[in-house]
Amino acid sequence: MRAAAARYGTAGSLVLTALVAAPAGSASGTTPAPEAHGTVLAAQRAEAAGIRWGACAEADELPPSVRCGTVSVPLDYARPDGRQIRLTVSRTGAAREVRGKKVARQGALVFNPGGPGASGMYFPMVGVMPEWKRIAAAYDLVGYAPRGVGRSAPLSCQNPKQFTKAPTQSPTHPDESYKRERIAQAQSYARGCAARNPGLRHYTTLNNARDLDVLRAALGEKKLTFMGASYGTYFGAVYATMFPSHVRRMVFDSAVNPDPAQIWYDNNLDQSVAFEGRWADFRRWVAKHDKTYHLGATPEEVLHSYEKVRGELAHKPAGGKVGPGQLQAAFLKAGYYDDYWPTRATALSAYLKGDPKPLIEQAAPEPRGAVEEENGNAVYTAVECNDASWPTDFRIWDRDNSRLARVAPFETWDNAWMNLPCAYWSAPRQQPVDVGTAEGALPPTLILAAERDAATPYEGAKELNRRLPGSVLVTEEGAGTHGIGAGPNKCVNGHLDAYLLEGTVPARRAACAPHREAEPLTGERAAALPQDL
C-alpha cells in the first residue's frame, strides 16, 4: 500500500571524503565508491550550472507566480558520464515580508510529498495559505518531481486505460480462483515494467537521496533544509544517513518505519492492521451522526450498511464504473484523511436511498487522470520492489495475508495485490539502508506524527526518533490524519514554525491535543463541497 502523498491545507562545494565515509545501503554499511564519486561529480556539475528558471510547462498546471526549471542527474551514479535524466523543479521566491514586517531570507525549503511516485511540483503554491505564510516569507518554496514521476524520466508499466479499468471486484477473503487471477496480473505487470523501462533498476530510494543532494547543490545551498511527508520521510532519513554534514534542518512528517527489517514487506502488513483501526474510527464517527446519515447507530451497523452497498455493487456496478474495487479505494481515502468522512458518509447514505450519483462522482475513475495514476503506481512499484528483498513464494503471501485478514479484513488483501508484483520482480534487489547517525552528526531534526495514522503507523515515528539522535517527536494524540504539518492543528503548526524559522525544538517529546473532529454536512453545505473529496 502506498504511503500516500500527504496533503497540505489539506549548493556549495562538496567534500569527496565525507561522501565516501557516509553510511548507506550496501551490505557493508558504507557508500560504494563508484556511486559516491558519481554523486560528488554530479553535484559539482549541478552547482556550476545552477537552475535556469522560466515559465512552467502547461502540463504542470501551475500559476505564473511559480517558476520552473530542470536539474540533470545520472541515471546510474556509478556511471556519472553516462545517460543523464532531467528532474523538473518548481519554485517561488521567499516573500521576505509577513503582515507588513520584513523577514530575512533563510534559503530554500525543499519538499517531497511521498509516494513513492508523488510529485511535489505543486508545493510552491501553498505559500499563499495562512498556515504557510510565515515559512513562505523566509524561504524559497521548492518542489520537484522525483525520478520517474511526471516529466522526470517517467516510468510506465502498462497501458493507463488498462490500469484504471473499472469496475473491479475486491473480495475481503478471496477464493483460489481469484488468487490465481491476481497472481497472473502481478506477473504480467512485473514483466511489463521490465520490458518498458530498460533503466528500471536505478529507480531506488538510494538514488532518490543522491538526486536530492544534487538538487541541493543546483539550488546553491551549502546545507539542505528539507521537509518530507510519508515516503518522503524515509528517503529523507536515508539522505540524513548518507549526507549528515549536508543537513541544515529536516522535518519528517508522518514517518515510515525505517527499520531495515520492515522495508517493505512487513511495513505493508503493519499498515493493513493500522487501517483496520482507522476504518473503525470512521465507522464510530458515522454512528455518532446517525441522525444525519441513517447508516446505523453503532459501528457494527455502519459496517452492515457498507457491506450491503458492496454486495449490490458486485452484481450491479453504479454507473457501470463503480464496483467493489472502486468503493474500497474511495473509502480507503477516509482512512488517510478525516476531511473525507462527511462526503463518504453522504455518498453511502444517498446510495442506500436510491441515489447513486454522489458515489459515482466520488469513486468512478477519472479518465483524465489515468496517465498520472499509472505513472505514480509504476514509480511506487519500482522503488519498493528495488529497495529490498520480497518473498518470492506466493504461499508466504497467502499465509500472512490470510491470517491478517481474519482480524483486519478492510484493507489486507487489496494491500497485498498492490505489492504482489514485487514477488516476480526481475531487477536486482538492494539491501535496505540501515538508517541512523552518530550522536551529534546531525543538527536537531523534527518528527511529526499522528497517533492513529494508518498509512504510516505511529511505531515508525518512534523508531525514526530512536535512530536519529537529537531528533524530537511531536505527536498529535488521538488523531489519524496522514500528514499533519501546516494542517488544522495550531499546536503542531507552532512547533513546525518554531523549528523552520528559529531552529528550535521542544526539549523532549511533545504532545498536541487532536484537531477538531469533522462535522457532518447536510443539505446545501454537502452539495457545495467538491465531490472529489
Side-chain angles (χ1 to χ4, degrees), residues 344-370:
R344 293 298 185 264
T346 297
L348 205 65
S349 179
Y351 181 89
L352 288 172
K353 293 175 182 176
D355 179 11
K357 184 178 178 182
L359 184 61
I360 295 169
E361 290 176 335
Q362 295 180 40
E366 173 52 64
R368 290 175 298 179

Side-chain angles (χ1 to χ4, degrees), residues 22 45 81 95 111 122 129 156 194 203 225-226 248 419 459 491 513 533:
R45 290 169 176 169
D81 294 321
F111 176 77
Y122 70 89
M129 301 172 64
S156 175
Y203 291 78
T225 303
F226 175 79
R248 177 178 178 266
N419 293 286
E459 181 58 38
C491 171
L533 284 180

